[in-house]
Amino acid sequence: MQMGSPVLLLNVLSVSLAWGLATLMQLPKAQCIAVGFECGLQNFALAAFVSLTLLQDATLLLPAVAYGLTMWLSAFAVLALVRRGALQRLIAGTHKNPPF
């Protein structure tokens, strides 16, 4: 599938950038997580809106659908890591073994 790698890369970069900016703004950890998730969720909504209303081309929605699927999979993975506390330890540099 030609969309797989770019879609996954967009997902990881958008969530990471949003989370990083929230961290730089010294928001609490819970808000950093929320900002990261929200950025990922809004990308799908924006792509669907642009492709279906502004461009009026349903075929352009296919990458957005692929993004939407990877978005939910990666969101659940990040949520699982956060709930286990592994992500915070990884960010802090105190995690001895990779959580994956």
Side-chain angles (χ1 to χ4, degrees):
M1 185 175 217
Q2 293 178 348
M3 295 183 260
S5 297
V7 163
L8 186 59
L9 182 63
L10 174 64
N11 180 258
V12 170
L13 288 177
S14 64
V15 172
S16 299
L17 182 64
W19 192 324
L21 288 173
T23 302
L24 282 175
M25 294 175 59
Q26 299 179 347
L27 296 176
K29 291 276 189 218
Q31 288 182 352
C32 292
I33 294 166
V35 168
F37 279 118
E38 187 63 24
C39 181
L41 294 172
Q42 285 183 0
N43 279 341
F44 172 74
L46 180 61
F49 172 76
V50 169
S51 65
L52 295 177
T53 59
L54 299 179
L55 300 176
Q56 297 180 349
D57 187 355
T59 59
L60 295 176
L61 185 61
L62 292 176
V65 170
Y67 177 86
L69 294 174
T70 61
M71 169 195 66
W72 286 109
L73 293 174
S74 63
F76 285 125
V78 170
L79 182 60
L81 291 173
V82 167
R83 292 193 77 184
R84 286 186 12 206
L87 196 56
Q88 285 88 356
R89 290 190 302 273
L90 186 65
I91 291 170
T94 59
H95 201 286
K96 293 180 181 151
N97 297 322
F100 337 100

